[in-house]
Amino acid sequence: LQSSFHSILKGNIIKCLIPVDEVANVQTDNPLEHALLVLVKTGYSAIPVLDQMYRLKGIISKTIILDNILGLERFEFEHLRSYKVADVMNANPPILRIDHTFQDALKMCIHHTFLCIENHDGEFMGILTRSSILRYVNHLFAI
Amino acid sequence: LQSSFHSILKGNIIKCLIPVDEVANVQTDNPLEHALLVLVKTGYSAIPVLDQMYRLKGIISKTIILDNILGLERFEFEHLRSYKVADVMNANPPILRIDHTFQDALKMCIHHTFLCIENHDGEFMGILTRSSILRYVNHLFAI
Ligand SMILES: Nc1ncnc2c1ncn2[C@@H]1O[C@@H]2COP(=O)(O)O[C@H]3[C@@H](O)[C@H](n4cnc5c(N)ncnc54)O[C@@H]3COP(=O)(O)O[C@H]2[C@H]1O
Ligand SMILES: Nc1ncnc2c1ncn2[C@@H]1O[C@@H]2COP(=O)(O)O[C@H]3[C@@H](O)[C@H](n4cnc5c(N)ncnc54)O[C@@H]3COP(=O)(O)O[C@H]2[C@H]1O
């Protein structure tokens, strides 16, 4: 049990990575309306927010946007045009460095639906999703 | 590897279940606006839809609601009051029977963020979430 799983758990996460060019994202200075359209068109609940240098800055989600436009009486859609993504995003994205192990990723995925992967220089490399972790675990158990 | 994991994989899922009285849900005949308010207030992306006999009928999500109110030019919020949950919900919820094994749940969770659990009589017993599966797997590896 210990030896064969140990080498897998210490294995590298790079094989489960969704590379940055396949990750839907928006920029910090986009209007909130643009972020909601990207979220609706892609169907994703949440996506990364990058700055103009493609550095990771946060996460924006349908939940955060709807929370910010729900007024006392109704959904105040005019806010979509007056707010920017940076005004409401979660500025504390879950980050894992590319040299971390599969076990580190598994632990973090308990609390996050996806992880943002960076290299040593802090460059955004892509994301690791719960479905890819679950697919890998299912494969381990099938061995 | 085989023997100790085998008994765990065949283990029962009941210990990871969120019981029905702790599951946010709406009813088939609720207006869509009510469903969006429940989703926003609870913070959940998607929740089960039950009929008046508390039988499982579908899943409603922020994604489905936003998809249905996005018109050509803008978000048509007036539709929230004219549609019912049953009109737009996903009427094919992922269902797992309570006597299924942990391995069955793991396989299904690759494609669904949560599973709806029913007993032999088709009564809705609660849900099984990806986070509870991941928490359990992480615990297995820590042994
Ligand atoms: N277009 C699609 N095709 C196939 N399956 C789809 C899908 N959209 C959603 N799903 C399924 O639904 C799950 C939840 O998606 P959600 O958008 O809430 O949550 C997603 C989304 O917020 C984000 N995500 C996934 N792929 C992304 C991408 N290429 N770009 C940006 N964000 C992504 O990561 C979260 C977790 O993704 P994960 O794959 O674990 O889990 C996904 C996947 O199993
Ligand atoms: N109030 C809260 N407290 C703590 N963590 C929270 C939370 N709301 C969301 N999260 C975290 O975010 C993940 C995704 O939530 P989401 O609402 O997209 O997706 C959720 C939601 O659609 C549904 N869900 C979870 N608990 C529910 C409940 N009590 N009633 C109805 N639906 C529930 O199952 C999906 C997967 O849940 P899971 O736990 O795997 O994964 C959750 C959990 O890790």
PDB file of all heavy atoms in Angstrom, chain A residues 126-142:
ATOM      1  N   GLY A 126      -1.716  27.618 -15.876  1.00  0.00           N
ATOM      2  CA  GLY A 126      -2.973  26.942 -16.194  1.00  0.00           C
ATOM      3  C   GLY A 126      -3.696  26.566 -14.923  1.00  0.00           C
ATOM      4  O   GLY A 126      -3.375  27.077 -13.856  1.00  0.00           O
ATOM      5  N   ILE A 127      -4.700  25.673 -15.042  1.00  0.00           N
ATOM      6  CA  ILE A 127      -5.461  25.296 -13.855  1.00  0.00           C
ATOM      7  C   ILE A 127      -5.514  23.775 -13.705  1.00  0.00           C
ATOM      8  O   ILE A 127      -5.306  23.029 -14.675  1.00  0.00           O
ATOM      9  CB  ILE A 127      -6.907  25.862 -13.893  1.00  0.00           C
ATOM     10  CG1 ILE A 127      -7.709  25.302 -15.079  1.00  0.00           C
ATOM     11  CG2 ILE A 127      -6.906  27.379 -13.891  1.00  0.00           C
ATOM     12  CD1 ILE A 127      -9.195  25.658 -15.046  1.00  0.00           C
ATOM     13  N   LEU A 128      -5.819  23.350 -12.491  1.00  0.00           N
ATOM     14  CA  LEU A 128      -5.987  21.927 -12.174  1.00  0.00           C
ATOM     15  C   LEU A 128      -7.399  21.814 -11.604  1.00  0.00           C
ATOM     16  O   LEU A 128      -7.729  22.503 -10.643  1.00  0.00           O
ATOM     17  CB  LEU A 128      -4.946  21.556 -11.113  1.00  0.00           C
ATOM     18  CG  LEU A 128      -4.643  20.097 -10.888  1.00  0.00           C
ATOM     19  CD1 LEU A 128      -3.975  19.512 -12.114  1.00  0.00           C
ATOM     20  CD2 LEU A 128      -3.697  19.956  -9.700  1.00  0.00           C
ATOM     21  N   THR A 129      -8.259  21.008 -12.201  1.00  0.00           N
ATOM     22  CA  THR A 129      -9.652  20.956 -11.779  1.00  0.00           C
ATOM     23  C   THR A 129      -9.931  19.709 -10.919  1.00  0.00           C
ATOM     24  O   THR A 129      -9.195  18.718 -10.980  1.00  0.00           O
ATOM     25  CB  THR A 129     -10.587  20.900 -13.003  1.00  0.00           C
ATOM     26  OG1 THR A 129     -10.239  19.727 -13.776  1.00  0.00           O
ATOM     27  CG2 THR A 129     -10.477  22.130 -13.858  1.00  0.00           C
ATOM     28  N   ARG A 130     -11.013  19.781 -10.134  1.00  0.00           N
ATOM     29  CA  ARG A 130     -11.427  18.623  -9.333  1.00  0.00           C
ATOM     30  C   ARG A 130     -11.678  17.419 -10.215  1.00  0.00           C
ATOM     31  O   ARG A 130     -11.335  16.294  -9.861  1.00  0.00           O
ATOM     32  CB  ARG A 130     -12.725  18.951  -8.572  1.00  0.00           C
ATOM     33  CG  ARG A 130     -12.499  19.673  -7.269  1.00  0.00           C
ATOM     34  CD  ARG A 130     -13.830  19.918  -6.590  1.00  0.00           C
ATOM     35  NE  ARG A 130     -13.669  20.458  -5.256  1.00  0.00           N
ATOM     36  CZ  ARG A 130     -14.672  20.890  -4.500  1.00  0.00           C
ATOM     37  NH1 ARG A 130     -15.906  20.841  -4.979  1.00  0.00           N
ATOM     38  NH2 ARG A 130     -14.463  21.348  -3.279  1.00  0.00           N
ATOM     39  N   SER A 131     -12.291  17.625 -11.397  1.00  0.00           N
ATOM     40  CA  SER A 131     -12.613  16.470 -12.244  1.00  0.00           C
ATOM     41  C   SER A 131     -11.329  15.768 -12.682  1.00  0.00           C
ATOM     42  O   SER A 131     -11.301  14.532 -12.752  1.00  0.00           O
ATOM     43  CB  SER A 131     -13.446  16.883 -13.458  1.00  0.00           C
ATOM     44  OG  SER A 131     -12.730  17.723 -14.327  1.00  0.00           O
ATOM     45  N   SER A 132     -10.249  16.511 -12.931  1.00  0.00           N
ATOM     46  CA  SER A 132      -9.009  15.846 -13.374  1.00  0.00           C
ATOM     47  C   SER A 132      -8.375  15.088 -12.205  1.00  0.00           C
ATOM     48  O   SER A 132      -7.807  14.014 -12.399  1.00  0.00           O
ATOM     49  CB  SER A 132      -8.035  16.845 -13.971  1.00  0.00           C
ATOM     50  OG  SER A 132      -7.624  17.770 -12.995  1.00  0.00           O
ATOM     51  N   ILE A 133      -8.494  15.608 -10.995  1.00  0.00           N
ATOM     52  CA  ILE A 133      -7.974  14.898  -9.804  1.00  0.00           C
ATOM     53  C   ILE A 133      -8.790  13.614  -9.591  1.00  0.00           C
ATOM     54  O   ILE A 133      -8.239  12.544  -9.362  1.00  0.00           O
ATOM     55  CB  ILE A 133      -8.107  15.781  -8.543  1.00  0.00           C
ATOM     56  CG1 ILE A 133      -7.224  17.023  -8.667  1.00  0.00           C
ATOM     57  CG2 ILE A 133      -7.807  15.002  -7.276  1.00  0.00           C
ATOM     58  CD1 ILE A 133      -5.869  16.969  -8.104  1.00  0.00           C
ATOM     59  N   LEU A 134     -10.109  13.714  -9.697  1.00  0.00           N
ATOM     60  CA  LEU A 134     -10.986  12.558  -9.481  1.00  0.00           C
ATOM     61  C   LEU A 134     -10.755  11.494 -10.547  1.00  0.00           C
ATOM     62  O   LEU A 134     -10.749  10.298 -10.262  1.00  0.00           O
ATOM     63  CB  LEU A 134     -12.454  12.996  -9.479  1.00  0.00           C
ATOM     64  CG  LEU A 134     -12.889  13.756  -8.222  1.00  0.00           C
ATOM     65  CD1 LEU A 134     -14.177  14.527  -8.490  1.00  0.00           C
ATOM     66  CD2 LEU A 134     -13.066  12.818  -7.044  1.00  0.00           C
ATOM     67  N   ARG A 135     -10.538  11.944 -11.792  1.00  0.00           N
ATOM     68  CA  ARG A 135     -10.271  11.006 -12.885  1.00  0.00           C
ATOM     69  C   ARG A 135      -8.977  10.241 -12.603  1.00  0.00           C
ATOM     70  O   ARG A 135      -8.908   9.028 -12.787  1.00  0.00           O
ATOM     71  CB  ARG A 135     -10.103  11.812 -14.192  1.00  0.00           C
ATOM     72  CG  ARG A 135     -10.506  11.112 -15.467  1.00  0.00           C
ATOM     73  CD  ARG A 135     -10.217  12.016 -16.646  1.00  0.00           C
ATOM     74  NE  ARG A 135     -10.990  13.242 -16.634  1.00  0.00           N
ATOM     75  CZ  ARG A 135     -12.247  13.327 -17.044  1.00  0.00           C
ATOM     76  NH1 ARG A 135     -12.852  12.264 -17.521  1.00  0.00           N
ATOM     77  NH2 ARG A 135     -12.920  14.460 -16.975  1.00  0.00           N
ATOM     78  N   TYR A 136      -7.990  10.950 -12.090  1.00  0.00           N
ATOM     79  CA  TYR A 136      -6.680  10.342 -11.800  1.00  0.00           C
ATOM     80  C   TYR A 136      -6.796   9.361 -10.638  1.00  0.00           C
ATOM     81  O   TYR A 136      -6.242   8.253 -10.680  1.00  0.00           O
ATOM     82  CB  TYR A 136      -5.688  11.471 -11.486  1.00  0.00           C
ATOM     83  CG  TYR A 136      -4.256  11.044 -11.388  1.00  0.00           C
ATOM     84  CD1 TYR A 136      -3.542  10.646 -12.507  1.00  0.00           C
ATOM     85  CD2 TYR A 136      -3.612  11.027 -10.149  1.00  0.00           C
ATOM     86  CE1 TYR A 136      -2.231  10.256 -12.398  1.00  0.00           C
ATOM     87  CE2 TYR A 136      -2.295  10.639 -10.037  1.00  0.00           C
ATOM     88  CZ  TYR A 136      -1.607  10.252 -11.164  1.00  0.00           C
ATOM     89  OH  TYR A 136      -0.298   9.870 -11.076  1.00  0.00           O
ATOM     90  N   VAL A 137      -7.545   9.751  -9.604  1.00  0.00           N
ATOM     91  CA  VAL A 137      -7.728   8.864  -8.440  1.00  0.00           C
ATOM     92  C   VAL A 137      -8.470   7.602  -8.858  1.00  0.00           C
ATOM     93  O   VAL A 137      -8.110   6.486  -8.471  1.00  0.00           O
ATOM     94  CB  VAL A 137      -8.494   9.595  -7.323  1.00  0.00           C
ATOM     95  CG1 VAL A 137      -8.946   8.623  -6.236  1.00  0.00           C
ATOM     96  CG2 VAL A 137      -7.641  10.694  -6.710  1.00  0.00           C
ATOM     97  N   ASN A 138      -9.501   7.781  -9.686  1.00  0.00           N
ATOM     98  CA  ASN A 138     -10.265   6.612 -10.156  1.00  0.00           C
ATOM     99  C   ASN A 138      -9.356   5.662 -10.932  1.00  0.00           C
ATOM    100  O   ASN A 138      -9.448   4.441 -10.782  1.00  0.00           O
ATOM    101  CB  ASN A 138     -11.432   7.078 -11.019  1.00  0.00           C
ATOM    102  CG  ASN A 138     -12.309   5.932 -11.451  1.00  0.00           C
ATOM    103  OD1 ASN A 138     -12.806   5.186 -10.611  1.00  0.00           O
ATOM    104  ND2 ASN A 138     -12.476   5.769 -12.756  1.00  0.00           N
ATOM    105  N   HIS A 139      -8.460   6.250 -11.719  1.00  0.00           N
ATOM    106  CA  HIS A 139      -7.499   5.450 -12.497  1.00  0.00           C
ATOM    107  C   HIS A 139      -6.559   4.698 -11.557  1.00  0.00           C
ATOM    108  O   HIS A 139      -6.270   3.522 -11.767  1.00  0.00           O
ATOM    109  CB  HIS A 139      -6.721   6.403 -13.413  1.00  0.00           C
ATOM    110  CG  HIS A 139      -5.517   5.791 -14.048  1.00  0.00           C
ATOM    111  ND1 HIS A 139      -5.610   4.817 -15.022  1.00  0.00           N
ATOM    112  CD2 HIS A 139      -4.187   5.990 -13.836  1.00  0.00           C
ATOM    113  CE1 HIS A 139      -4.397   4.453 -15.384  1.00  0.00           C
ATOM    114  NE2 HIS A 139      -3.506   5.141 -14.682  1.00  0.00           N
ATOM    115  N   LEU A 140      -6.112   5.347 -10.454  1.00  0.00           N
ATOM    116  CA  LEU A 140      -5.216   4.701  -9.480  1.00  0.00           C
ATOM    117  C   LEU A 140      -5.882   3.470  -8.886  1.00  0.00           C
ATOM    118  O   LEU A 140      -5.261   2.427  -8.736  1.00  0.00           O
ATOM    119  CB  LEU A 140      -4.910   5.662  -8.325  1.00  0.00           C
ATOM    120  CG  LEU A 140      -4.010   6.852  -8.549  1.00  0.00           C
ATOM    121  CD1 LEU A 140      -3.794   7.593  -7.234  1.00  0.00           C
ATOM    122  CD2 LEU A 140      -2.669   6.419  -9.116  1.00  0.00           C
ATOM    123  N   PHE A 141      -7.150   3.618  -8.539  1.00  0.00           N
ATOM    124  CA  PHE A 141      -7.857   2.502  -7.894  1.00  0.00           C
ATOM    125  C   PHE A 141      -8.145   1.374  -8.857  1.00  0.00           C
ATOM    126  O   PHE A 141      -8.407   0.255  -8.457  1.00  0.00           O
ATOM    127  CB  PHE A 141      -9.158   2.979  -7.267  1.00  0.00           C
ATOM    128  CG  PHE A 141      -8.983   3.787  -6.028  1.00  0.00           C
ATOM    129  CD1 PHE A 141      -9.828   4.844  -5.745  1.00  0.00           C
ATOM    130  CD2 PHE A 141      -7.959   3.509  -5.132  1.00  0.00           C
ATOM    131  CE1 PHE A 141      -9.674   5.607  -4.598  1.00  0.00           C
ATOM    132  CE2 PHE A 141      -7.783   4.274  -3.987  1.00  0.00           C
ATOM    133  CZ  PHE A 141      -8.636   5.318  -3.712  1.00  0.00           C
ATOM    134  N   ALA A 142      -8.101   1.674 -10.139  1.00  0.00           N
ATOM    135  CA  ALA A 142      -8.400   0.625 -11.126  1.00  0.00           C
ATOM    136  C   ALA A 142      -7.172  -0.238 -11.386  1.00  0.00           C
ATOM    137  O   ALA A 142      -7.261  -1.288 -11.993  1.00  0.00           O
ATOM    138  CB  ALA A 142      -8.880   1.270 -12.428  1.00  0.00           C
TER     139      ALA A 142
END
